Amino acid sequence: MLNRVILIGRLTRDPELRYTTSGIAVATFALAVERPFTNQSGERDVDFIDIVIWRKLAETCANHLGKGRLVAVEGRLQTRSYDDSNGIRRKAVEVVADSVRFLDWPKNTSSSNDYDDQEFNGFDDDIDVPF
Amino acid sequence: MLNRVILIGRLTRDPELRYTTSGIAVATFALAVERPFTNQSGERDVDFIDIVIWRKLAETCANHLGKGRLVAVEGRLQTRSYDDSNGIRRKAVEVVADSVRFLDWPKNTSSSNDYDDQEFNGFDDDIDVPF
Amino acid sequence: MLNRVILIGRLTRDPELRYTTSGIAVATFALAVERPFTNQSGERDVDFIDIVIWRKLAETCANHLGKGRLVAVEGRLQTRSYDDSNGIRRKAVEVVADSVRFLDWPKNTSSSNDYDDQEFNGFDDDIDVPF
Amino acid sequence: MLNRVILIGRLTRDPELRYTTSGIAVATFALAVERPFTNQSGERDVDFIDIVIWRKLAETCANHLGKGRLVAVEGRLQTRSYDDSNGIRRKAVEVVADSVRFLDWPKNTSSSNDYDDQEFNGFDDDIDVPF
DNA sequence: TTTT
DNA sequence: TTTT
């Protein structure tokens, strides 16, 4: 009845953009989210959390984000069952994002993904940059 | 770097309480969380989310909660790899709760789990009842 | 850039429903939110937080909620300056809710506010009942 | 009963650090949080939200943060009544933070506040840096 | 499969 | 101005 997730972390890879047969854009990536505290061996554990994004926000993320970028993601936790390529039944738990904020800037300016066409994205297509 | 999950839902079964070899209590249960909107077939989909609770809060939940009870859970999303009983590698995604609030009362008063010994539970052992 | 508030508490009074000159509905009420821990004198302090709701969700809340009802509110913190009736400049800090979930049922069935016309409310008009 | 606020924004001024008569550190600052959407005049409104931080985290923030710095703050909304310097009764609404994450780096290296003594801060003294 |  |  209430389901809210807020994460800050870095993309482990470039977003993948796909389209449903009905033409709806879906972007997926994983977020590396460091735990606040160090473990017994003095390191910070990291949680790798799958993010799913729909529609225009999916395309904006695919166009502007890349591996290593720092983002804040808001969304809801979703569970889903599927059969993997070996026919094994698996449960997916992922965050369906309704908002993604960019918290840093691209490392090099030669990237094909940059901020040229940053624009307002409507209500559930909520994006922002950190200045 | 920031990882916060807030859920309201109902327990799909009674909590399971176990202890680590070093004697720390761990409770687990799943929460059924209805999506806010109906799907194409007019029904509300439900996400089943695994919850993990440690220490004194684990024991309080095991003592007072049961299948069907309505709770608000606050915690963080955690990912974990393990091999299932068939030796298949799986990824667990669960919410490690640091706060659980009881939002309703037990259905029948003959339950062994009731509110007799409700008490304050310390900082990360945060529990409350709705009145 | 990110602004999220999630509260569970009880209405301190019936919602007030007003309309802007352009005809948009606005409901306001205050939420009594108990702190999780008791203070030095053994009591729980309570925070009284002003809630503002717009459009259809405002009307749904005005129709179905009343003093004492338990709700979960999601929204954003908003600040606003105004002059009070004595001409003193004041700063209002309130939560603009985009989602309200009803977590209990009306105490008596003779109330004019009930669940007769409960219905789905669109994306930013997000309402639900606890069963 | 549940009270959670998560904000990302920039400090409008350097933190002020004070001590209670019993010697407990308290830091205060305001956070400028841009709204996600532009208003009728095409600008983004900004909410100015007062933040209060206690104990060791207060000192860490006072030592390392300054005007303009970007942070993620987690905490709870608190209300409080007081009389201002003119004897006018006022209501303060502020966020008591239990976690502050630094999301950028100091603008110039000549600042007296830097990252020399960054360290782990215990459970409710939760601080982190973005790399 | 994993980010700085 | 304050809820159970």
Side-chain angles (χ1 to χ4, degrees):
Chain A
M1 300 191 25
L2 185 153
N3 183 335
R4 199 76 196 161
V5 181
I6 302 180
L7 303 169
I8 295 180
R10 292 189 183 277
L11 280 76
T12 63
R13 54 175 196 270
D14 290 343
E16 282 177 45
L17 184 64
R18 266 171 291 211
Y19 289 85
T20 66
T21 50
S22 54
I24 300 170
V26 202
T28 52
F29 55 81
L31 218 56
V33 181
E34 288 192 344
R35 300 199 186 152
F37 310 119
T38 50
N39 59 21
Q40 303 95 312
S41 35
E43 294 151 0
R44 280 165 196 268
D45 287 324
V46 175
D47 294 296
F48 296 99
I49 299 170
D50 290 316
I51 310 291
V52 178
I53 306 171
W54 290 91
R55 299 160 183 268
K56 187 157 54 163
L57 183 56
E59 292 174 321
T60 311
C61 288
N63 289 335
H64 297 297
L65 290 177
K67 177 178 177 173
R69 295 290 307 281
L70 184 71
V71 295
V73 165
E74 272 196 270
R76 63 180 172 79
L77 250 190
Q78 178 176 275
T79 55
R80 194 167 50 81
S81 284
Y82 68 99
D83 298 308
D84 73 10
S85 53
N86 298 316
I88 296 170
R89 189 121 202 100
R90 293 185 180 277
K91 181 187 185 186
V93 183
E94 46 211 2
V95 172
V96 180
D98 46 66
S99 163
V100 176
R101 321 259 165 184
F102 303 169
L103 295 176
D104 61 2
W105 296 93
K107 285 295 162 55
N108 69 60
T109 57
S110 63
S111 161
S112 61
N113 278 358
D114 53 37
Y115 288 85
D116 293 343
D117 46 1
Q118 202 61 248
E119 62 174 26
F120 171 65
N121 282 284
F123 186 80
D124 65 340
D125 251 18
D126 182 8
I127 200 162
D128 207 354
V129 293
F131 72 103
Chain B
M1 298 192 27
L2 184 152
N3 183 337
R4 200 76 197 161
V5 181
I6 302 179
L7 303 171
I8 296 180
R10 293 192 181 276
L11 279 76
T12 63
R13 53 176 197 271
D14 289 345
E16 284 177 44
L17 184 64
R18 267 169 291 208
Y19 289 85
T20 65
T21 50
S22 55
I24 300 170
V26 202
T28 51
F29 55 80
L31 216 59
V33 182
E34 287 192 343
R35 299 198 186 153
F37 310 117
T38 50
N39 59 22
Q40 304 96 312
S41 34
E43 294 150 1
R44 281 166 196 267
D45 288 323
V46 175
D47 294 295
F48 296 98
I49 299 172
D50 290 316
I51 310 292
V52 179
I53 307 173
W54 290 91
R55 299 159 183 269
K56 185 157 53 165
L57 183 56
E59 292 174 321
T60 311
C61 287
N63 289 335
H64 297 297
L65 290 178
K67 177 177 175 173
R69 294 289 307 282
L70 185 70
V71 295
V73 165
E74 273 197 89
R76 65 180 171 76
L77 250 190
Q78 180 177 272
T79 55
R80 195 169 48 82
S81 285
Y82 68 100
D83 297 310
D84 73 11
S85 53
N86 298 314
I88 296 171
R89 191 124 203 97
R90 294 188 180 274
K91 182 187 184 185
V93 182
E94 46 212 1
V95 171
V96 181
D98 46 64
S99 165
V100 176
R101 321 260 165 183
F102 304 170
L103 295 175
D104 62 2
W105 296 94
K107 286 293 165 53
N108 68 60
T109 58
S110 63
S111 160
S112 63
N113 277 357
D114 54 37
Y115 287 86
D116 293 343
D117 46 2
Q118 202 61 248
E119 61 172 27
F120 170 65
N121 283 284
F123 186 81
D124 65 339
D125 252 18
D126 181 7
I127 199 161
D128 206 355
V129 293
F131 75 108
Chain C
M1 300 191 24
L2 184 152
N3 183 336
R4 200 77 198 161
V5 181
I6 301 179
L7 304 170
I8 295 181
R10 292 190 183 277
L11 280 76
T12 63
R13 54 175 197 270
D14 289 344
E16 283 177 44
L17 184 64
R18 266 169 292 211
Y19 289 85
T20 65
T21 50
S22 54
I24 300 171
V26 202
T28 52
F29 55 81
L31 218 57
V33 182
E34 288 192 343
R35 299 199 186 152
F37 310 118
T38 50
N39 60 21
Q40 304 96 311
S41 35
E43 294 151 359
R44 281 163 195 269
D45 287 324
V46 176
D47 295 295
F48 296 99
I49 300 171
D50 289 317
I51 311 291
V52 179
I53 306 173
W54 291 91
R55 300 159 181 270
K56 186 159 52 163
L57 182 56
E59 293 175 320
T60 310
C61 288
N63 288 336
H64 297 297
L65 291 177
K67 177 177 176 174
R69 295 289 308 281
L70 184 70
V71 295
V73 165
E74 273 195 88
R76 65 181 172 74
L77 250 190
Q78 179 177 274
T79 56
R80 196 168 48 83
S81 284
Y82 68 101
D83 298 309
D84 73 9
S85 53
N86 298 315
I88 296 171
R89 189 121 204 99
R90 294 187 180 275
K91 181 188 184 184
V93 182
E94 46 212 3
V95 172
V96 180
D98 46 66
S99 164
V100 177
R101 321 258 166 184
F102 303 169
L103 296 175
D104 63 1
W105 297 94
K107 284 296 163 52
N108 68 61
T109 57
S110 63
S111 161
S112 61
N113 276 358
D114 53 37
Y115 288 86
D116 293 343
D117 47 2
Q118 202 61 249
E119 59 173 27
F120 171 64
N121 283 284
F123 186 82
D124 65 339
D125 250 19
D126 182 7
I127 200 163
D128 207 354
V129 293
F131 73 107
Chain D
M1 301 191 25
L2 185 151
N3 183 335
R4 199 77 198 160
V5 181
I6 301 179
L7 304 170
I8 296 180
R10 293 191 181 278
L11 280 77
T12 64
R13 55 178 196 269
D14 290 344
E16 283 177 45
L17 184 65
R18 267 169 292 211
Y19 289 85
T20 65
T21 51
S22 54
I24 300 171
V26 202
T28 52
F29 54 82
L31 215 58
V33 181
E34 287 192 344
R35 299 199 186 152
F37 311 118
T38 50
N39 59 20
Q40 303 95 312
S41 34
E43 294 149 0
R44 280 165 195 269
D45 287 323
V46 175
D47 294 296
F48 296 98
I49 299 169
D50 290 316
I51 312 290
V52 179
I53 306 174
W54 291 90
R55 299 159 181 270
K56 185 158 53 164
L57 183 56
E59 293 174 320
T60 310
C61 287
N63 289 335
H64 297 297
L65 290 177
K67 178 179 175 172
R69 295 289 306 281
L70 184 70
V71 295
V73 165
E74 272 196 89
R76 67 180 170 76
L77 251 190
Q78 180 176 273
T79 56
R80 195 168 48 83
S81 284
Y82 68 100
D83 298 308
D84 73 9
S85 53
N86 298 315
I88 296 171
R89 189 123 203 98
R90 293 187 181 274
K91 181 186 185 186
V93 183
E94 47 213 1
V95 172
V96 181
D98 46 65
S99 164
V100 177
R101 322 257 166 184
F102 303 170
L103 294 176
D104 62 2
W105 296 94
K107 285 295 164 52
N108 68 60
T109 57
S110 63
S111 160
S112 62
N113 277 358
D114 53 37
Y115 288 85
D116 293 343
D117 48 1
Q118 202 62 248
E119 61 175 26
F120 170 66
N121 282 284
F123 186 80
D124 66 339
D125 253 19
D126 182 8
I127 199 162
D128 207 354
V129 293
F131 73 108

PDB file of all heavy atoms in Angstrom, chain A residues 105-120:
ATOM      1  N   TRP A 105      28.875  15.291 -13.032  1.00  0.00           N
ATOM      2  CA  TRP A 105      28.954  15.627 -14.432  1.00  0.00           C
ATOM      3  C   TRP A 105      29.813  14.596 -15.140  1.00  0.00           C
ATOM      4  O   TRP A 105      30.654  13.957 -14.522  1.00  0.00           O
ATOM      5  CB  TRP A 105      29.562  17.025 -14.600  1.00  0.00           C
ATOM      6  CG  TRP A 105      28.675  18.048 -13.990  1.00  0.00           C
ATOM      7  CD1 TRP A 105      28.744  18.542 -12.734  1.00  0.00           C
ATOM      8  CD2 TRP A 105      27.542  18.654 -14.604  1.00  0.00           C
ATOM      9  NE1 TRP A 105      27.709  19.428 -12.528  1.00  0.00           N
ATOM     10  CE2 TRP A 105      26.974  19.521 -13.661  1.00  0.00           C
ATOM     11  CE3 TRP A 105      26.969  18.567 -15.867  1.00  0.00           C
ATOM     12  CZ2 TRP A 105      25.845  20.284 -13.938  1.00  0.00           C
ATOM     13  CZ3 TRP A 105      25.854  19.327 -16.141  1.00  0.00           C
ATOM     14  CH2 TRP A 105      25.293  20.167 -15.187  1.00  0.00           C
ATOM     15  N   PRO A 106      29.605  14.441 -16.457  1.00  0.00           N
ATOM     16  CA  PRO A 106      30.407  13.455 -17.195  1.00  0.00           C
ATOM     17  C   PRO A 106      31.888  13.732 -16.998  1.00  0.00           C
ATOM     18  O   PRO A 106      32.308  14.890 -16.944  1.00  0.00           O
ATOM     19  CB  PRO A 106      29.996  13.684 -18.645  1.00  0.00           C
ATOM     20  CG  PRO A 106      28.667  14.366 -18.589  1.00  0.00           C
ATOM     21  CD  PRO A 106      28.660  15.156 -17.312  1.00  0.00           C
ATOM     22  N   LYS A 107      32.682  12.677 -16.923  1.00  0.00           N
ATOM     23  CA  LYS A 107      34.126  12.800 -16.703  1.00  0.00           C
ATOM     24  C   LYS A 107      34.845  13.474 -17.871  1.00  0.00           C
ATOM     25  O   LYS A 107      35.639  14.374 -17.703  1.00  0.00           O
ATOM     26  CB  LYS A 107      34.753  11.425 -16.441  1.00  0.00           C
ATOM     27  CG  LYS A 107      34.464  10.894 -15.050  1.00  0.00           C
ATOM     28  CD  LYS A 107      35.099  11.767 -13.976  1.00  0.00           C
ATOM     29  CE  LYS A 107      34.486  11.525 -12.587  1.00  0.00           C
ATOM     30  NZ  LYS A 107      34.530  10.115 -12.184  1.00  0.00           N
ATOM     31  N   ASN A 108      34.573  13.021 -19.110  1.00  0.00           N
ATOM     32  CA  ASN A 108      35.236  13.674 -20.240  1.00  0.00           C
ATOM     33  C   ASN A 108      34.182  14.231 -21.178  1.00  0.00           C
ATOM     34  O   ASN A 108      33.083  13.703 -21.289  1.00  0.00           O
ATOM     35  CB  ASN A 108      36.185  12.700 -20.956  1.00  0.00           C
ATOM     36  CG  ASN A 108      35.412  11.616 -21.676  1.00  0.00           C
ATOM     37  OD1 ASN A 108      34.609  11.882 -22.554  1.00  0.00           O
ATOM     38  ND2 ASN A 108      35.659  10.374 -21.271  1.00  0.00           N
ATOM     39  N   THR A 109      34.524  15.332 -21.831  1.00  0.00           N
ATOM     40  CA  THR A 109      33.541  16.034 -22.648  1.00  0.00           C
ATOM     41  C   THR A 109      33.421  15.430 -24.042  1.00  0.00           C
ATOM     42  O   THR A 109      32.599  15.870 -24.828  1.00  0.00           O
ATOM     43  CB  THR A 109      33.939  17.506 -22.772  1.00  0.00           C
ATOM     44  OG1 THR A 109      35.257  17.538 -23.327  1.00  0.00           O
ATOM     45  CG2 THR A 109      33.954  18.180 -21.424  1.00  0.00           C
ATOM     46  N   SER A 110      34.217  14.397 -24.330  1.00  0.00           N
ATOM     47  CA  SER A 110      34.133  13.779 -25.651  1.00  0.00           C
ATOM     48  C   SER A 110      33.058  12.691 -25.692  1.00  0.00           C
ATOM     49  O   SER A 110      32.840  12.075 -26.711  1.00  0.00           O
ATOM     50  CB  SER A 110      35.479  13.166 -26.037  1.00  0.00           C
ATOM     51  OG  SER A 110      35.794  12.134 -25.117  1.00  0.00           O
ATOM     52  N   SER A 111      32.393  12.484 -24.565  1.00  0.00           N
ATOM     53  CA  SER A 111      31.347  11.461 -24.520  1.00  0.00           C
ATOM     54  C   SER A 111      30.217  11.820 -25.466  1.00  0.00           C
ATOM     55  O   SER A 111      29.930  12.989 -25.705  1.00  0.00           O
ATOM     56  CB  SER A 111      30.789  11.348 -23.095  1.00  0.00           C
ATOM     57  OG  SER A 111      29.536  10.723 -23.107  1.00  0.00           O
ATOM     58  N   SER A 112      29.552  10.803 -25.987  1.00  0.00           N
ATOM     59  CA  SER A 112      28.386  11.069 -26.826  1.00  0.00           C
ATOM     60  C   SER A 112      27.166  11.406 -25.966  1.00  0.00           C
ATOM     61  O   SER A 112      26.198  11.961 -26.439  1.00  0.00           O
ATOM     62  CB  SER A 112      28.079   9.854 -27.699  1.00  0.00           C
ATOM     63  OG  SER A 112      27.784   8.743 -26.867  1.00  0.00           O
ATOM     64  N   ASN A 113      27.221  11.041 -24.706  1.00  0.00           N
ATOM     65  CA  ASN A 113      26.130  11.376 -23.787  1.00  0.00           C
ATOM     66  C   ASN A 113      26.460  12.635 -23.002  1.00  0.00           C
ATOM     67  O   ASN A 113      27.309  12.622 -22.137  1.00  0.00           O
ATOM     68  CB  ASN A 113      25.916  10.239 -22.778  1.00  0.00           C
ATOM     69  CG  ASN A 113      25.067   9.130 -23.353  1.00  0.00           C
ATOM     70  OD1 ASN A 113      24.620   9.232 -24.484  1.00  0.00           O
ATOM     71  ND2 ASN A 113      24.836   8.086 -22.564  1.00  0.00           N
ATOM     72  N   ASP A 114      25.795  13.731 -23.295  1.00  0.00           N
ATOM     73  CA  ASP A 114      26.062  14.922 -22.501  1.00  0.00           C
ATOM     74  C   ASP A 114      24.780  15.681 -22.224  1.00  0.00           C
ATOM     75  O   ASP A 114      23.698  15.095 -22.240  1.00  0.00           O
ATOM     76  CB  ASP A 114      27.081  15.807 -23.211  1.00  0.00           C
ATOM     77  CG  ASP A 114      26.649  16.109 -24.617  1.00  0.00           C
ATOM     78  OD1 ASP A 114      25.409  16.283 -24.804  1.00  0.00           O
ATOM     79  OD2 ASP A 114      27.468  16.153 -25.528  1.00  0.00           O
ATOM     80  N   TYR A 115      24.887  16.932 -21.905  1.00  0.00           N
ATOM     81  CA  TYR A 115      23.738  17.676 -21.392  1.00  0.00           C
ATOM     82  C   TYR A 115      23.103  18.599 -22.420  1.00  0.00           C
ATOM     83  O   TYR A 115      22.330  19.459 -22.065  1.00  0.00           O
ATOM     84  CB  TYR A 115      24.147  18.469 -20.154  1.00  0.00           C
ATOM     85  CG  TYR A 115      24.373  17.572 -18.972  1.00  0.00           C
ATOM     86  CD1 TYR A 115      25.590  16.949 -18.775  1.00  0.00           C
ATOM     87  CD2 TYR A 115      23.337  17.301 -18.086  1.00  0.00           C
ATOM     88  CE1 TYR A 115      25.778  16.100 -17.706  1.00  0.00           C
ATOM     89  CE2 TYR A 115      23.520  16.458 -17.020  1.00  0.00           C
ATOM     90  CZ  TYR A 115      24.743  15.863 -16.827  1.00  0.00           C
ATOM     91  OH  TYR A 115      24.933  15.022 -15.786  1.00  0.00           O
ATOM     92  N   ASP A 116      23.454  18.433 -23.724  1.00  0.00           N
ATOM     93  CA  ASP A 116      22.961  19.340 -24.749  1.00  0.00           C
ATOM     94  C   ASP A 116      21.457  19.553 -24.698  1.00  0.00           C
ATOM     95  O   ASP A 116      20.976  20.669 -24.711  1.00  0.00           O
ATOM     96  CB  ASP A 116      23.315  18.794 -26.137  1.00  0.00           C
ATOM     97  CG  ASP A 116      24.819  18.814 -26.345  1.00  0.00           C
ATOM     98  OD1 ASP A 116      25.499  19.530 -25.585  1.00  0.00           O
ATOM     99  OD2 ASP A 116      25.298  18.106 -27.239  1.00  0.00           O
ATOM    100  N   ASP A 117      20.744  18.464 -24.622  1.00  0.00           N
ATOM    101  CA  ASP A 117      19.307  18.573 -24.799  1.00  0.00           C
ATOM    102  C   ASP A 117      18.542  18.334 -23.504  1.00  0.00           C
ATOM    103  O   ASP A 117      17.430  17.822 -23.527  1.00  0.00           O
ATOM    104  CB  ASP A 117      18.838  17.602 -25.866  1.00  0.00           C
ATOM    105  CG  ASP A 117      19.453  16.239 -25.666  1.00  0.00           C
ATOM    106  OD1 ASP A 117      20.229  16.068 -24.693  1.00  0.00           O
ATOM    107  OD2 ASP A 117      19.162  15.351 -26.449  1.00  0.00           O
ATOM    108  N   GLN A 118      19.180  18.686 -22.400  1.00  0.00           N
ATOM    109  CA  GLN A 118      18.497  18.606 -21.102  1.00  0.00           C
ATOM    110  C   GLN A 118      17.175  19.335 -21.185  1.00  0.00           C
ATOM    111  O   GLN A 118      17.107  20.467 -21.627  1.00  0.00           O
ATOM    112  CB  GLN A 118      19.378  19.329 -20.079  1.00  0.00           C
ATOM    113  CG  GLN A 118      19.122  18.920 -18.678  1.00  0.00           C
ATOM    114  CD  GLN A 118      19.391  17.445 -18.448  1.00  0.00           C
ATOM    115  OE1 GLN A 118      18.460  16.725 -18.208  1.00  0.00           O
ATOM    116  NE2 GLN A 118      20.633  17.020 -18.573  1.00  0.00           N
ATOM    117  N   GLU A 119      16.119  18.724 -20.722  1.00  0.00           N
ATOM    118  CA  GLU A 119      14.861  19.452 -20.711  1.00  0.00           C
ATOM    119  C   GLU A 119      13.901  18.903 -19.675  1.00  0.00           C
ATOM    120  O   GLU A 119      14.091  17.820 -19.143  1.00  0.00           O
ATOM    121  CB  GLU A 119      14.207  19.421 -22.085  1.00  0.00           C
ATOM    122  CG  GLU A 119      13.872  18.000 -22.524  1.00  0.00           C
ATOM    123  CD  GLU A 119      13.097  18.000 -23.827  1.00  0.00           C
ATOM    124  OE1 GLU A 119      13.237  18.969 -24.606  1.00  0.00           O
ATOM    125  OE2 GLU A 119      12.342  17.054 -24.040  1.00  0.00           O
ATOM    126  N   PHE A 120      12.880  19.686 -19.422  1.00  0.00           N
ATOM    127  CA  PHE A 120      11.843  19.286 -18.484  1.00  0.00           C
ATOM    128  C   PHE A 120      11.102  18.063 -19.012  1.00  0.00           C
ATOM    129  O   PHE A 120      10.868  17.928 -20.187  1.00  0.00           O
ATOM    130  CB  PHE A 120      10.869  20.446 -18.276  1.00  0.00           C
ATOM    131  CG  PHE A 120       9.669  20.049 -17.501  1.00  0.00           C
ATOM    132  CD1 PHE A 120       9.787  19.656 -16.181  1.00  0.00           C
ATOM    133  CD2 PHE A 120       8.422  20.029 -18.093  1.00  0.00           C
ATOM    134  CE1 PHE A 120       8.672  19.268 -15.459  1.00  0.00           C
ATOM    135  CE2 PHE A 120       7.315  19.655 -17.366  1.00  0.00           C
ATOM    136  CZ  PHE A 120       7.440  19.270 -16.055  1.00  0.00           C
TER     137      PHE A 120
END
